[in-house]
Amino acid sequence: MWLKPEEVLLKNALKLWVTQKSSCYFVLQRRRGHGEGGGRLTGRLVGALDAVLDSSARVAPFRILLQVPGSQVYSPIACGATLEEINRHWDWLEQNLLHTLSVFDNKDDIASFVKGKVKALIAEETSSRLAEQEEEPEKFREALVKFEARFNFPEAEKLVTYYSCCCWKGRVPRQGWLYLSVNHVCFYSFLLGKELKLVIPWVDVQKLERTSNVFLTDTIRITTQNKERDFSMFLNLDEVFKIMEQLADVTLRRLLDNEVFDLDPDLQEPSQITKRDLEARAQNEFFRAFFRLPRKEKLHAVADCSLWTPFSRCHTAGRIFSSDSYICFASREDGCCNVVLPLREVVSIEKMEDTSLLPNPIIVSIRSKMAFQFIELKDRENLVEGLLLRLKQVHANHPVHYETSPSDDDMASPVFYSTSICTDKFGDLEMVSSQSSEEGEKEKSPLPHPEPLTAVFQQSGSQSPDSRLSREQIKISLWNDHFVEYGRTVCMFRTEKIRKLVAMGIPESLRGRLWLLFSDAVTDLASHPGYYGNLVEQSLGRCCLVTEEIERDLHRSLPEHPAFQNETGIAALRRVLTAYAHRNPKIGYCQSMNILTSVLLLYAKEEEAFWLLVAVCERMLPDYFNHRVIGAQVDQSVFEELIKEHLPELAEHMSDLSALASISLSWFLTLFLSIMPLESAVNVVDCFFYDGIKAIFQLGLAVLEANAEELCSSKDDGQALMILSRFLDHIKNEDSPGPPIGSHHAFFSDDQEPYPVTDIADLIRDSYEKFGNQSVEQIEHLRCKHRIRVLQGHEDTTKQNVLRVVIPEVSILPEDLEELYDLFKRAHMMSCYWEHHRPMALRHDPSRPYAEQYRIDARQFAHLFQLVSPWTCGAHTEILAERIFRLLDDNMDQLIEFKAFISCLDVMYNGEMNEKIKLLYRLHIPPALTENDRDSQSPLKNPLLSTSRPLVLGKPNGDTIDYQKQLKQMIKDLAKEKDKMEKELPKMSQREFIQFCKTLYSMFHEDPEENDLYQAIATVTTLLLQIGEVGQRGSSSGSCSQECEELQASAPPEQDSVFAEAGKSPQAFPETEGDWTVSLEHILASLLTEQSLVNFFEKPLNIKSKLENAKLNQYSLKVLEMSHPPQPELKLNDL
């Protein structure tokens, strides 16, 4: 264990301790009398002394000391009861600290750094022990308080866990604490009087990887757009990395890929995420991927056990997994034995008598008269109790119907479809001809064509048909023998032997049914009787975009096969694709689904093909068939890394592997069906249904290795494509009973010179022998790692496309636009972080056009406006932001996109004066200004206007200016300008004009020329009031003139201000506001008469300082708003 460092002198202690190991800074010592074979007197005395002391005073026999060169003072930093324990501490020091200490120049710095690190490790060990004992340990609460105080996040930012570590700044490590929250990675350090704070949002993380630097062998590197951060010296780096990987994956998928992520509901609520939840999710993901189960399947228990395997006549050690609807077993040795038991197949679960030979056994009996014996289950009582509860629930939800006398036509069903019929027969597999089965099924099935299409469209091979058929019979015989020994239902023992049989190619007559078993689509089929028929009835006849795409691709699906050269096959393909699109509208229909489905229909009945398609799209190839094919892109990125690992010479030659990945994309999307002859490609599909995506990875590597020499000599991507296409087109299947059917890429082959033929069986065997060592766990880890890169790649693409559209339309510099986009996106993200109760918080929609994927609402816009707008108006800024938002929200959906935001900002910073005034004008007429505007209750709503005063204004030097003549000329000029306007804006009423003036007054506040601007706006306002009154007199009656004279009499003659307090005489204002109007032309012409106003609107504005300030303060402004939520406003008529 680690010890709190305390200084000791070794002068008198050397006789009690013996040095075992030493380095520049550390010494490992053994207590005399421990581990000595001899009987020296000193050792005996020390040993006896230690033996008689009580446990609290007894000294540990091993310890590690910190020694600073040149000093006689040592500090014990670790002790251990055994040599193994102390060696673990020594190894940790060597790997994590020893190389680091050389960067320090001062010896005191070395001592303080090591002591600080050891104290942090002690605190973390204590925290870990407490976390095991209670749900909310006191240490975690202390860490939470420190986290909140140091980073000042809102309460919604939940801390998940924390670790002691070092953050590298250049070559110098900074000891501190790493805090992992639901949305951020945070690091805090306070060392030698210097404070360091780092805050990295998970959505900014572009890479998360384990790496090494010059000083340390193992670090965690977090890469963002501009920086790399290295963290090291963790007590348990494996645990830390797994938690960080899970958090990054969950957060990025929740915020950037919610198109698919809603299928994982447990972690959708960020405030509920805990470290334990993340560990459970990682285990769940592995469980579902390993056994290829539905994504909604939830793991409940995992326990070590042993399973009786009759074929080896012994118990095989492994683990049992219990979930909602399954009991699964995986042997400890990878590939030795796996079992999948759907609870729907289970008849009983019983505890047996506990004996020394069979400790804690249970028996699971299934309906095909097989029983599975599990032993060495530690928590047997709770496990069985949970299994029985879920078994009862499954049988209640999906009742099993037993038939006592199955017909002869269904003899094949018991061996494959124990979910449908219970039978005592368990003999050799019986093959049923397609003709006899078809007659029995026609009466039951409502589907037009209930048989596999190969059963109807029989083909004969042109070369040696007898030899091919004899090979087929040999394969059938081998499979029958295997079924007898290992089982023939979905509950069969899955061993290395069955993998070898699959690699040889499944017999044509067994292929469809074994696909159903390996994918467990048979369970879905039996659990949903009549489901497919209902979908067909509901979906057929409907016309939409998806059905149009399906119709367009129907005749492109295996056109060379006779089954799809007539309406029988085309109609079946149409029904399956349309039914699936109706079942899963999120996926609908994607290209390549037609090719896959057509092959499924060749070997499976129509309803079976539908459930096979469900298994492939929804669990075996997750996220492949959606709008952005994220899953396929992730696997392409994983494939690139596997190429670098297994084929380094090829990777070195082809520096840009993305070009190779673009070629291999169709391999993954169509499982080689579109680029390999069909009779060969179906063998690949056999391996895929048994081994999952692993089979495609290893076959892809085998194809590249077979062509590595030619690829290394290729000059460009086009030549590489020709090499691979020609190779794949010449892959043959010598065992296929049917004639060869060309692939879609046959035109790439060169018929003028013979090309060597490769047998698919040999290629598959090579792929297993050379590249079959990749485990499911490794692939899932790589997928998690590369999903971050792929999602961030999509974000970069979105950003570049938006900027490409916006840049030509505005005058803001591209680098400033990029920073503005980041601020805009961050405003959206912060609402997703901390405002989950708001229904529009999760509004990122990757399926929308690029420019519309990120949009912000009024509150987010107000924060952003306050940070980057040059038109700051003090307390009036928020009101102005609300009006701008209403103006930009053309479709009134309460959201605006980046382009609208930038176009408005561009006018403010780079627009000419008339454009800025026009924008201000539009902000003070509907729809920007409404009757319910927050500012409408201010005293300026009904101001006292001195509109009838003589249009003569005093100047500071005592002179006066008469504007009467200028006014007449101005009106004439405005009439001419009016014709030139593209679209005339509505005139501004008196109330709207007052709000306009108030905005101008607010904008001038704290300006260096504030006094001149106030004087100028007073002059212009008086001028515009007179203009409005001139228009009013031309259209009003005499009573209006009389009211105006009363207004003039009520106004004090010495008053120079435009506005008077409405509260002094509110009744003096007549209700003639509706007739008083001014136009944009009036306002613009009036403002041009004052040079100070012209200078104000035409002065150059610097956006860079605003951007720097915004980047620093965006978080703090949001946190302030979250900590002080706005109070509901009181309306005057409510009082």
Side-chain angles (χ1 to χ4, degrees), residues 292 499 502-503 620-621 639 642 667-668 671-672 676 683-703 760 763-768 771-772 774-776 779 783:
R292 296 185 295 283
R499 179 177 280 117
V502 171
M620 298 190 74
L621 293 178
F639 190 50
L642 292 177
W667 304 356
F668 288 79
L671 307 179
F672 285 91
M676 193 184 286
N683 283 30
V684 178
V685 180
D686 294 341
C687 298
F688 168 74
F689 275 114
Y690 185 77
D691 266 325
I693 196 64
K694 169 187 172 182
I696 308 300
F697 280 122
Q698 63 194 33
L699 188 66
L701 291 171
V703 168
I760 184 63
L763 187 65
I764 290 176
R765 185 178 61 253
D766 287 348
S767 74
Y768 274 103
F771 309 108
Q774 293 292 330
S775 67
V776 173
I779 290 175
R783 279 177 161 178

Side-chain angles (χ1 to χ4, degrees), residues 260-330:
V260 173
F261 192 67
D262 59 356
L263 296 176
D264 194 355
D266 293 340
L267 298 173
Q268 280 284 38
E269 181 52 55
S271 62
Q272 302 301 318
I273 294 177
T274 64
K275 179 182 173 184
R276 189 172 298 176
D277 290 334
L278 293 170
E279 291 169 343
R281 177 182 185 263
Q283 200 170 38
N284 245 319
E285 292 278 324
F286 167 75
F287 165 69
R288 291 194 293 255
F290 188 86
F291 296 104
R292 296 185 295 283
L293 300 178
R295 294 178 70 167
K296 294 183 180 179
E297 198 67 23
K298 185 177 180 181
L299 183 63
H300 292 286
V302 181
D304 292 330
C305 68
S306 293
L307 171 67
W308 174 254
T309 47
F311 52 88
S312 61
R313 289 175 172 75
C314 67
H315 283 90
T316 301
R319 289 192 298 171
I320 186 173
F321 300 81
S322 168
S323 67
D324 292 334
S325 307
Y326 292 86
I327 301 172
C328 301
F329 173 83

Side-chain angles (χ1 to χ4, degrees), residues 818-836:
E818 194 169 342
E819 292 192 12
L820 283 167
Y821 180 89
D822 293 338
L823 290 170
F824 187 90
K825 178 181 172 181
R826 194 172 298 128
H828 160 84
M829 286 299 172
M830 286 192 295
S831 70
C832 299
Y833 295 160
W834 304 316
E835 300 177 24
H836 312 294

Side-chain angles (χ1 to χ4, degrees), residues 959-970:
D959 298 333
T960 60
I961 298 178
D962 188 354
Y963 284 99
Q964 295 287 357
K965 294 179 181 180
Q966 293 184 19
L967 179 58
K968 292 177 183 179
Q969 184 62 39
M970 188 187 303

Side-chain angles (χ1 to χ4, degrees), residues 92 96-97 100 104 113 116-117 163-169 172-178 187 189 191 196 216 219-220 229-234:
W92 190 93
N96 293 279
L97 280 185
T100 308
F104 292 99
F113 177 78
K117 184 64 191 174
Y163 298 97
S164 166
C165 70
C166 284
C167 175
W168 288 79
K169 194 171 183 181
V172 180
R174 293 290 299 265
Q175 170 63 36
W177 291 91
L178 184 72
F187 178 80
S189 172
L191 189 65
L196 174 66
L216 294 175
T219 64
I220 296 176
R229 297 286 186 184
D230 287 343
F231 299 90
S232 63
M233 303 187 201
F234 293 95

Side-chain angles (χ1 to χ4, degrees), residues 738-1014:
I741 298 175
S743 73
H744 293 273
H745 287 266
F747 58 85
F748 280 116
S749 61
D750 187 357
D751 297 327
Q752 294 181 354
E753 56 183 74
Y755 190 86
V757 173
T758 304
D759 187 47
I760 184 63
D762 295 337
L763 187 65
I764 290 176
R765 185 178 61 253
D766 287 348
S767 74
Y768 274 103
E769 289 176 356
K770 296 177 181 179
F771 309 108
N773 57 349
Q774 293 292 330
S775 67
V776 173
E777 191 170 12
Q778 289 172 321
I779 290 175
E780 287 304 304
H781 165 70
L782 289 173
R783 279 177 161 178
C784 193
K785 170 184 174 181
H786 287 277
R787 188 180 292 112
I788 296 174
R789 300 182 184 181
V790 170
L791 288 174
Q792 292 293 12
H794 275 274
E795 290 301 298
D796 290 341
T797 302
T798 299
K799 179 178 178 178
Q800 296 306 319
N801 279 284
V802 172
L803 294 179
R804 189 173 65 246
V805 172
V806 172
I807 285 173
E809 299 184 8
V810 297
S811 301
I812 300 175
L813 295 175
E815 56 268 27
D816 295 336
L817 273 177
E818 194 169 342
E819 292 192 12
L820 283 167
Y821 180 89
D822 293 338
L823 290 170
F824 187 90
K825 178 181 172 181
R826 194 172 298 128
H828 160 84
M829 286 299 172
M830 286 192 295
S831 70
C832 299
Y833 295 160
W834 304 316
E835 300 177 24
H836 312 294
H837 61 281
R838 301 178 65 195
M840 303 184 74
L842 298 176
R843 62 177 63 84
H844 175 235
D845 186 358
S847 64
R848 297 179 69 91
Y850 289 117
E852 300 176 14
Q853 288 188 15
Y854 286 107
R855 297 178 293 169
I856 58 176
D857 61 19
R859 287 175 63 186
Q860 296 156 20
F861 176 81
H863 296 151
L864 211 50
F865 182 83
Q866 185 175 345
L867 288 168
V868 300
S869 170
W871 291 357
T872 51
C873 311
H876 194 66
T877 304
E878 191 173 348
I879 296 168
L880 188 63
E882 289 177 5
R883 293 173 185 166
I884 295 177
F885 183 86
R886 284 195 292 266
L887 179 66
L888 299 178
D889 185 19
D890 293 331
N891 57 1
M892 301 181 70
D893 64 350
Q894 304 303 312
L895 297 169
I896 64 167
E897 59 196 47
F898 180 70
K899 185 178 178 181
F901 168 70
I902 287 300
S903 62
C904 175
L905 206 62
D906 186 53
V907 171
M908 297 180 190
Y909 276 100
N910 303 309
E912 296 181 358
M913 178 177 177
N914 61 328
E915 294 175 322
K916 294 179 180 179
I917 299 304
K918 183 178 180 181
L919 176 59
L920 279 170
Y921 184 90
R922 294 180 65 194
L923 294 178
H924 295 85
I925 58 174
L929 186 70
T930 64
E931 289 294 330
N932 297 322
D933 194 281
R934 275 209 286 165
D935 202 39
S936 63
Q937 298 295 335
S938 72
L940 292 176
K941 183 181 180 183
N942 293 315
L944 179 62
L945 298 181
S946 49
T947 60
S948 300
R949 288 186 294 162
L951 205 55
V952 177
L953 297 178
K955 296 187 70 176
N957 58 7
D959 298 333
T960 60
I961 298 178
D962 188 354
Y963 284 99
Q964 295 287 357
K965 294 179 181 180
Q966 293 184 19
L967 179 58
K968 292 177 183 179
Q969 184 62 39
M970 188 187 303
I971 293 174
K972 290 180 183 179
D973 295 338
L974 289 174
K976 296 177 183 178
E977 291 292 328
K978 185 176 179 180
D979 297 332
K980 299 179 183 179
M981 299 291 291
E982 295 179 4
K983 182 180 179 182
E984 183 181 358
L985 291 171
K987 291 187 176 182
M988 185 179 280
S989 69
Q990 196 175 83
R991 183 182 75 87
E992 294 162 355
F993 175 69
I994 297 306
Q995 295 299 325
F996 177 84
C997 295
K998 183 175 181 181
T999 298
L1000 289 178
Y1001 269 89
S1002 302
M1003 289 171 64
F1004 301 153
H1005 184 58
E1006 295 185 356
D1007 189 273
E1009 307 294 329
E1010 181 177 359
N1011 292 333
D1012 292 342
L1013 289 170
Y1014 281 159

Side-chain angles (χ1 to χ4, degrees), residues 419-439:
T419 51
S420 302
I421 302 165
C422 181
T423 178
D424 292 340
K425 297 192 177 184
F426 198 71
D428 291 345
L429 178 68
E430 297 182 28
M431 305 315 302
V432 182
S433 68
S434 60
Q435 288 81 4
S436 62
S437 176
E438 183 180 358
E439 292 174 3

